[in-house]
Amino acid sequence: MKKLKLLTNIEESYDELRYKTSWPTKKQLLKSAMIVLIASVIISLILFFMDQILSHIMEFVYTIGK
């Protein structure tokens, strides 16, 4: 009985993905991917600079203590 319910769920999921889901066009997909890529680069640069600044601050603090 559970196997039949599982198969029914799989069929319903397939039907929903196939007929009820609106998939983005290639243009929309490329635009979204570019936005994600640009945002990722910006965030990684911000984190890199924050890490460098904190690294220099900690190096300064540790050299004063010697």
Side-chain angles (χ1 to χ4, degrees):
M1 199 58 145
K2 285 188 177 186
K3 188 174 184 181
L4 293 177
K5 183 165 173 73
L6 176 63
L7 289 175
T8 303
N9 286 341
I10 292 172
E11 287 175 358
E12 289 174 357
S13 296
Y14 175 79
D15 287 340
E16 186 168 342
L17 284 172
R18 178 77 174 118
Y19 301 110
K20 296 180 182 177
T21 304
S22 62
W23 297 98
T25 63
K26 185 176 181 179
K27 185 177 179 180
Q28 291 171 331
L29 187 63
L30 288 174
K31 185 178 178 181
S32 295
M34 287 303 297
I35 291 171
V36 169
L37 179 66
I38 292 169
S40 297
V41 169
I42 291 170
I43 291 170
S44 66
L45 286 173
I46 290 170
L47 289 174
F48 172 76
F49 288 119
M50 288 174 60
D51 182 53
Q52 290 299 310
I53 291 168
L54 290 173
S55 176
H56 288 298
I57 291 171
M58 294 307 291
E59 186 178 327
F60 178 72
V61 167
Y62 286 135
T63 56
I64 290 177
K66 288 185 178 183

